[in-house]
Amino acid sequence: MGRGLYYFALAMGESKKAQLTIDGSSYELPIIRGTENEVAVDISRLRNTAGVITMDPGYGNTGSCSSAITFIDGERGILRYRGVPIEDLAEHSTFLEAAWLLMEGELPTQEELDTFKDHITYHTMVHEDVKRFYAGFPHNAHPMAVTGAVVGALSTFYPDSMQVTNDREMEIAIHRLIAKVPTIVAYSYKHSMGQPFMSPLNKLRYAANFLHMMFATPAEEYEVDPVVARTMDLIFLLHADHEQNCSASTVRMVGSSQANLFSAISAGVHALWGPLHGGANQAVVEMLEQILASGDDGKQFLDKVKNKRAGTRLMGFGHRVYKNFDPRATILKRACFEVLERLGVSTPLLDIAVQLEEIALRDDYFIARKLYPNVDFYSGIILQALGVPVNMFTTLFTIGRLPGWIAHWTEMIHDPQNRIARPRQIYTGARERPYVPMEQR
Ligand code: ACO
C-alpha cells in the first residue's frame, strides 16, 4: 500500500495511553495532562516507531513544550500569569512586579522587588558606541527594524553575557535587556524624529522613565503625567506574556540552538513586527483612519471584510487561541474610555471602533468564526491619545513582551527535555531527476 493510503485512526480512552491505528498496525502513544486538564497526545516517538510524522501547518494543534508560565483558556477568555488572573494584575500590580512573577514564578517580596528595581535602574544607559549605530540607519527606517537590529547588536557589546548555561551571566543579560530595551526603543523614536537622545532619568519609575526618554528634549522639560505613566505601565503589563505566540515561539526556537539571549530576543522583536502579530495595533489605527477618511460608518468596510475582497481583515479582531473575548481587550477598552476622559482627549477613531465592534459582534460572519476584539483593537487608540506616533506602537509592544520572551527562554534552557527545534516536513517537490546541462535546457 502506498504511503498516501494509510488508514489512520486515533482512540483515546480514560487510560494514560492513546491508541493509534495506521494501516492495520497499532501504536500506543502516551497522554500528557496539564494542571488545567489540558490533554495532549505525545507523538514525539511516532516517526521512530511508525515511520510517519504528523502535519499541522501553523502549529495550531501542536504543543511544542510543556510550560508553567502562562495559562490561556481561549474558549472562556481566561489569561493568567503563573496562575494569577490578568484582571487582578491589571488592577493591583505593576509591570516590573509582573515581569518578576513571569520570570521567577512567584510574586516578589518587597525586598526582592526593590532589589530587582535597583538592578534594572543600574543598567538603563546604553554604551556610547551603541548610540553611534543609529546614525547608520535612515531616518525614515521603521523604529521596529532599528530596535530589532540594535537589540541584536547588544551581543557585540557584552561578550560577558554569552554563555547560556551560566546562570549568573544570564541574570546580568536579563537585567541589561529589561533595563536597556526602553532606552533603545526611545532612541529609535528620537532618531526617526531627528531629535537628540535623552539619557534615562533613574529617579523616575520604569514607564515614566521611558516616557521621559521619548518625549523630553534638551530644550523643554517634560513633566510625566501620572495618568499617562500608569496607563503605559498597564499596557506593558497586559502585553507581558501570551504563552506560545509567534514571537515567544521564535525566541524559543532560536534559543534552542543555544544562540545567545540577545540574538534570540532580537529574533523575537522581528517576529513581533508582523501585522498579523504585534503589528496589528498599528494596522488597527491605520484601518480606522481609512474608514474615517472614506466617510464610511464602518458598514461598508465590514462588507468588504466579509466578501474577503483583496484579503481585507478587520484588524484587531480574531485570535488563534481566543474564541471569546480577549480579557486584555476588555481591560483596555475600559482603560481607553477612562484615559481619554482624564486627558480630555476625544477622537472619532474611538467612535468608529465602538461602532465596528458592535456591528461585528452581532454579525453572523464574525459569530460563526468566533471572532472577537483582541488586545490590539483598543490599545492603538490609547497610545495615540498618549501622544505615541503610530509607527511606534509595535515597538512599544517589544518593551511589554520582553519579560515573557525571557521567561520562555529561561524555561526552555533549563528544560531537561529541550532539544534543538527542528520540525519535519512532507516533501512535495520533484522526484529525483538528472541535472540538465545549460545548453540542453
Ligand atoms: N477579519 C475577518 N476575518 C477573519 C479575521 C479578521 N480579523 N480573522 C480571521 N478571520 C476569518 C478567516 O478569514 C477565516 O475564515 P474562513 O474560515 O472563511 O476561511 C477564519 O476567520 C479563521 O481565520 P484564520 O486565519 O484561520 O485564523 P488564524 O487563527 O490563523 O488567525 C489571526 C488568527 C492571525 C489573529 C487572525 O484572526 C487575524 O488575521 N486577525 C487580524 C490581525 C490581528 O488583529 N492580529 C493580532 C492578533 S493578537 C496579537 O498577535 C498580539
Side-chain angles (χ1 to χ4, degrees):
M1 183 181 284
R3 284 195 155 248
L5 298 176
Y6 275 116
Y7 171 71
F8 187 96
L10 181 66
M12 207 169 60
E14 279 305 297
S15 72
K16 294 197 169 63
K17 300 267 185 220
Q19 203 78 32
L20 176 68
T21 310
I22 306 173
D23 196 20
S25 300
S26 270
Y27 304 92
E28 276 198 338
L29 302 168
I31 292 177
I32 300 170
R33 281 178 206 274
T35 47
E36 294 283 350
N37 289 325
E38 292 170 305
V39 181
V41 177
D42 180 350
I43 53 92
S44 56
R45 301 197 56 75
L46 190 60
R47 190 170 181 279
N48 284 351
T49 52
V52 300
I53 62 166
T54 55
M55 184 62 106
D56 183 19
Y59 310 126
N61 202 43
T62 294
S64 59
C65 60
S66 302
S67 178
I69 301 169
T70 288
F71 174 70
I72 303 174
D73 182 332
E75 271 68 35
R76 292 192 291 154
I78 291 174
L79 169 62
R80 298 181 199 134
Y81 295 165
R82 300 282 187 181
V84 184
I86 194 69
E87 292 82 0
D88 290 355
L89 291 166
E91 196 173 337
H92 304 294
S93 189
T94 61
F95 173 64
L96 283 186
E97 187 182 55
W100 175 281
L101 172 67
L102 286 166
M103 295 188 303
E104 300 291 331
E106 297 294 335
L107 285 164
T109 62
Q110 189 63 56
E111 194 187 339
E112 284 169 334
L113 186 58
D114 291 345
T115 311
F116 180 53
K117 283 181 183 167
D118 283 350
H119 287 313
I120 299 306
T121 308
Y122 177 76
H123 287 289
T124 49
M125 291 199 299
V126 293
H127 193 290
E128 283 300 297
D129 289 345
V130 170
K131 293 185 189 170
R132 288 207 259 136
F133 266 73
Y134 290 83
F137 295 116
H139 281 282
N140 60 358
H142 196 292
M144 196 62 176
V146 175
T147 297
V150 177
V151 170
L154 290 181
S155 56
T156 65
F157 286 85
Y158 300 111
D160 59 338
S161 285
M162 287 293 119
Q163 287 187 59
V164 296
T165 49
N166 181 324
D167 286 349
R168 177 64 192 138
E169 280 195 22
M170 287 308 101
E171 188 185 26
I172 299 171
I174 288 166
H175 291 159
R176 282 177 170 149
L177 274 164
I178 294 180
K180 290 181 202 305
V181 163
T183 314
I184 290 168
V185 167
Y187 287 2
S188 74
Y189 171 65
K190 289 297 195 193
H191 176 68
S192 73
M193 297 294 288
Q195 290 181 3
F197 298 146
M198 295 301 292
S199 288
L201 209 52
N202 287 345
K203 67 176 182 187
L204 297 173
R205 289 171 181 222
Y206 192 82
N209 202 0
F210 169 67
L211 288 164
H212 155 80
M213 290 187 283
M214 281 276 291
F215 295 122
T217 68
E220 268 180 61
E221 246 177 61
Y222 174 80
E223 200 159 315
V224 182
D225 181 328
V227 176
V228 175
R230 171 63 194 143
T231 309
M232 190 60 79
D233 196 78
L234 174 69
I235 289 176
F236 291 157
L237 182 151
L238 291 176
H239 286 82
D241 191 42
H242 215 233
E243 50 119 307
Q244 311 308 322
N245 55 82
C246 177
S247 55
S249 302
T250 300
V251 170
R252 278 183 179 263
M253 186 169 231
V254 174
S256 76
S257 74
Q258 302 213 339
N260 70 80
L261 180 58
F262 301 114
S263 299
I265 297 294
S266 167
V269 176
H270 291 293
L272 184 69
W273 190 8
L276 297 188
H277 189 13
N281 51 14
Q282 173 171 345
V284 169
V285 168
E286 286 167 353
M287 171 189 79
L288 295 174
E289 280 170 346
Q290 269 173 27
I291 294 173
L292 182 67
S294 70
D296 173 22
D297 62 358
K299 289 200 185 85
Q300 281 171 27
F301 179 79
L302 286 180
D303 284 342
K304 208 160 76 175
V305 168
K306 290 191 288 179
N307 289 335
K308 300 196 173 181
R309 222 178 292 153
T312 309
R313 287 197 166 193
L314 177 55
M315 299 311 284
F317 253 69
H319 199 277
R320 172 62 59 80
V321 181
Y322 292 117
K323 301 302 166 199
N324 199 324
F325 277 92
D326 177 340
R328 302 166 300 172
T330 310
I331 296 168
L332 280 176
K333 183 178 180 183
R334 205 170 44 237
C336 188
F337 281 100
E338 279 168 14
V339 99
L340 262 61
E341 197 188 326
R342 287 284 294 275
L343 297 176
V345 174
S346 85
T347 163
L349 298 190
L350 181 58
D351 302 333
I352 295 174
V354 171
Q355 169 91 344
L356 280 174
E357 183 186 345
E358 277 175 9
I359 304 173
L361 290 178
R362 279 187 274 111
D363 190 296
D364 284 346
Y365 175 96
F366 295 90
I367 294 169
R369 291 169 179 78
K370 298 186 177 164
L371 302 171
Y372 291 86
N374 61 47
V375 67
D376 293 313
F377 198 64
Y378 286 100
S379 64
I381 299 174
I382 301 181
L383 290 173
Q384 209 175 39
L386 300 188
V388 177
V390 174
N391 68 351
M392 284 301 294
F393 290 0
T394 317
T395 325
L396 260 67
F397 192 161
T398 301
I399 303 173
R401 186 49 58 87
L402 185 58
W405 289 336
I406 292 171
H408 283 283
W409 180 90
T410 308
E411 187 175 65
M412 181 266 310
I413 282 289
H414 289 111
D415 183 351
Q417 287 190 325
N418 179 45
R419 307 163 75 196
I420 188 165
R422 202 316 185 173
R424 294 273 180 175
Q425 64 165 17
I426 293 292
Y427 175 67
T428 57
R431 307 284 303 261
E432 184 179 348
R433 51 184 174 158
Y435 173 81
V436 180
M438 185 65 82
E439 60 280 7
Q440 292 173 25
R441 284 178 223 163

